[in-house]
Amino acid sequence: MSDSPGKLKLGALVALVVGSMIGGGIFSLPQNMAASAGVGAVLIGWAITAVGMLTLAFVFQTLANRKPDLDGGVYAYAKAGFGDYMGFSSAWGYWISAWLGNVGYFVLLFSTLGYFFPVFGEGNTPAAVIGASILLWAVHFLVLRGIKEAAFINLVTTVAKVVPLALFALICLFAFKLDVFTADIWAVGTPELGSVMNQVRNMMLVTVWVFIGIEGASIFSSRAEKRSDVGKATVIGFVTVLLFLVLVNVLSLGVMTQPELAKLQNPSMAAVLEHVVGHWGAVLISVGLIISLLGALLSWVLLCAEIMFAAAKDHTMPEFLRRENANHVPANALWLTNAMVQIFLVITLFSNSTYLSLIYLATSMILVPYLWSAAYAVLLAVRSETYEQALAERKKDLIIGGIALLYAIWLLYAGGVKYLLLSALLYAPGAILFAKAKREVGQPIFTSVEKLIFAAVVAGALVAAYGLYDGFLTL
């Protein structure tokens, strides 16, 4: 792309990070968290998440500064550190996670509209799927008009969605009751939640889901006006979102009890505010959520297309995904992405895929790209690569990268076997595109180590396919 025109400034990059992180997750957070954990476990879980995600944010900042030649963030780091197939798998997993998340957003958007128009139900009725399909293609043609124009609209919706969140925090601060908050800190009264360790584990995938997007700026690194802004945007965006998430979650637990919150319909923030100020509170949050989801859909459609385009530019993905239109938008990548969203929207009609089951699957798909990014940061520090004149920094980055890597491994454990197997089922077919990309440059498809990794993925996929057929695994 040519310089300056179409380049993204710091404000637009921060808005991409905040806009892609604050989607629908935060508006459903009170119920999602209460369904899996009591107050004490929630506080412990947020502490682990804050440290883990902050180290991941620092990893993306460090890698943006130390490896400015690597465009495309998450997948480029996996490829540079661990070979072509790992790089491809990161791009593929990230892409699937991003468009699966978009399907979840459409379901939640029309479930929210169902508050005003009952015909949309829980977001997976025929009327909702038709409405979602129309909206999907409207966003598609808007993005085809240009990345910079879409990024500007994203900036406007980001500001619009932060206002109701700030109002919610302020009102709930005054309505907060310490006796409600401390009534049953360890959820002894709800034994079905299990031990505190179990509760912390169960809330982990939700906390990761609400932070996905933290790498948004690094994916657009090649379109940034200044490379140094990529790392800054990541950390500023992270701290802003963390503050909102913890406030929304913790303040809700002081307004309604954990069992009350667990029973709410999503978006549960609307019901919490309605509990405090009456009907207009629910309307305010629902309108805020609708604006928020529209903005998040835009961010994620941009991110989906960008990751495929960046991977095709260096021959990790097939050549046809590299084609840009006259407005410098990766058109083929965009068509492929939104076609997949459309197919899965139709599937939600026939399977009882709720918002929560879709986001758990989307989250488990992104754990692999996060894991390889953290591992690459550790690898650079261990090899002293780019640290020739900076020994003190090397030690600091090794510790931060190490914590981020441990956190990524802990997340795979917290996600459990079910989502690991379902992920394998989605990872396996990607090899077709990988083989096509390799053939285009006349290289052998797999190295000997990659053959073993691919065999393990296929084995997992076969178990998952049989599990879905036999019924011991469900979506």
Side-chain angles (χ1 to χ4, degrees):
M1 279 190 60
S2 58
D3 265 1
S4 64
K7 289 287 182 184
L8 301 174
K9 290 185 163 57
L10 178 64
L13 288 168
V14 171
L16 269 164
V17 175
V18 174
S20 45
M21 281 205 272
I22 296 185
I26 191 167
F27 291 88
S28 305
L29 201 60
Q31 184 278 334
N32 291 172
M33 288 303 196
S36 28
V39 174
V42 163
L43 295 176
I44 295 169
W46 276 122
I48 294 171
T49 302
V51 172
M53 277 293 171
L54 183 62
T55 53
L56 258 180
F58 283 142
V59 159
F60 287 122
Q61 184 181 31
T62 303
L63 291 175
N65 294 338
R66 297 216 159 261
K67 286 286 182 181
D69 50 316
L70 294 179
D71 288 327
V74 281
Y75 103 87
Y77 304 140
K79 181 176 179 174
F82 307 97
D84 290 352
Y85 183 57
M86 283 301 106
F88 172 84
S89 294
S90 269
W92 178 254
Y94 189 89
W95 176 70
I96 290 181
S97 170
W99 64 251
L100 259 180
N102 266 356
V103 179
Y105 280 161
F106 277 117
V107 170
L108 183 61
L109 176 61
F110 280 87
S111 163
T112 308
L113 286 169
Y115 180 84
F116 303 103
F117 310 104
V119 69
F120 294 132
E122 293 272 300
N124 49 10
T125 62
V129 170
I130 291 166
S133 303
I134 293 167
L135 183 59
L136 167 69
W137 295 106
V139 171
H140 174 85
F141 288 110
L142 173 69
V143 173
L144 282 177
R145 296 185 61 171
I147 297 275
K148 197 175 179 208
E149 290 73 5
F152 171 71
I153 293 170
N154 179 58
L155 183 63
V156 174
T157 56
T158 300
V159 173
K161 70 174 91 165
V162 165
V163 173
L165 293 178
L167 262 173
F168 176 89
L170 198 62
I171 292 167
C172 288
L173 193 61
F174 288 104
F176 186 86
K177 294 190 184 75
L178 197 59
D179 55 332
V180 172
F181 187 72
T182 55
D184 186 11
I185 282 197
W186 303 110
V188 181
T190 39
E192 64 272 14
L193 289 180
S195 66
V196 174
M197 173 67 171
N198 243 359
Q199 293 173 45
V200 171
R201 223 187 103 184
N202 291 341
M203 68 171 275
M204 273 296 134
L205 281 183
V206 180
T207 59
V208 179
W209 166 251
V210 290
F211 276 117
I212 292 176
I214 191 170
E215 65 302 303
S218 67
I219 288 180
F220 282 92
S221 51
S222 68
R223 300 184 193 265
E225 202 170 63
K226 290 210 298 251
R227 285 302 296 221
S228 58
D229 285 349
V230 173
K232 278 187 214 151
T234 303
V235 175
I236 295 168
F238 168 77
V239 173
T240 309
V241 174
L242 176 67
L243 193 66
F244 273 121
L245 289 166
V246 174
L247 279 174
V248 165
N249 193 191
V250 171
L251 291 174
S252 301
L253 286 160
V255 172
M256 294 167 80
T257 64
Q258 178 266 329
E260 285 172 337
L261 287 169
K263 286 196 200 88
L264 295 179
Q265 191 184 335
N266 282 319
S268 46
M269 250 177 90
V272 174
L273 202 58
E274 187 169 28
H275 180 79
V276 179
V277 298
H279 181 63
W280 72 264
V283 175
L284 172 80
I285 295 299
S286 298
V287 171
L289 172 56
I290 289 164
I291 294 169
S292 181
L293 283 170
L294 290 172
L297 278 168
L298 196 56
S299 296
W300 280 104
V301 168
L302 291 172
L303 283 169
C304 285
E306 192 68 21
I307 190 96
M308 291 301 253
F309 171 68
K313 266 203 308 195
D314 69 1
H315 310 291
T316 304
M317 288 281 175
E319 209 169 286
F320 76 95
L321 292 168
R322 215 182 322 171
R323 199 181 71 75
E324 288 185 296
N325 68 9
N327 301 321
H328 298 290
V329 177
N332 285 351
L334 198 62
W335 281 103
L336 180 64
T337 299
N338 290 334
M340 292 307 297
V341 173
Q342 182 66 72
I343 291 166
F344 262 70
L345 276 174
V346 175
I347 289 174
T348 62
L349 269 179
F350 304 104
S351 91
N352 54 359
S353 294
T354 58
Y355 168 68
L356 214 53
S357 61
L358 280 165
I359 66 168
Y360 281 159
L361 190 54
T363 304
S364 55
M365 288 302 290
I366 211 161
L367 297 182
V368 170
Y370 282 175
L371 178 81
W372 291 123
S373 294
Y376 184 51
V378 171
L379 196 68
L380 286 186
V382 168
R383 288 181 181 157
S384 288
E385 198 180 318
T386 75
Y387 288 96
E388 291 73 15
Q389 314 299 322
L391 283 176
E393 264 188 61
R394 185 179 88 92
K395 270 190 187 153
K396 182 194 75 169
D397 288 349
L398 185 59
I399 292 166
I400 288 172
I403 295 169
L405 184 58
L406 286 174
Y407 176 62
I409 293 166
W410 148 257
L411 286 176
L412 281 173
Y413 159 74
V417 176
K418 171 186 170 176
Y419 288 105
L420 216 54
L421 289 172
L422 288 173
S423 296
L425 188 60
L426 290 170
Y427 270 110
I432 298 165
L433 285 184
F434 180 66
K436 184 170 165 49
K438 282 290 193 184
R439 286 227 175 89
E440 283 171 0
V441 288
Q443 288 177 351
I445 298 173
F446 292 117
T447 63
S448 43
V449 175
E450 287 172 348
K451 278 180 189 161
L452 292 174
I453 295 166
F454 180 61
V457 172
V458 171
L462 291 172
V463 173
Y466 178 71
L468 286 173
Y469 166 75
D470 192 50
F472 69 81
L473 276 186
T474 52
L475 258 181

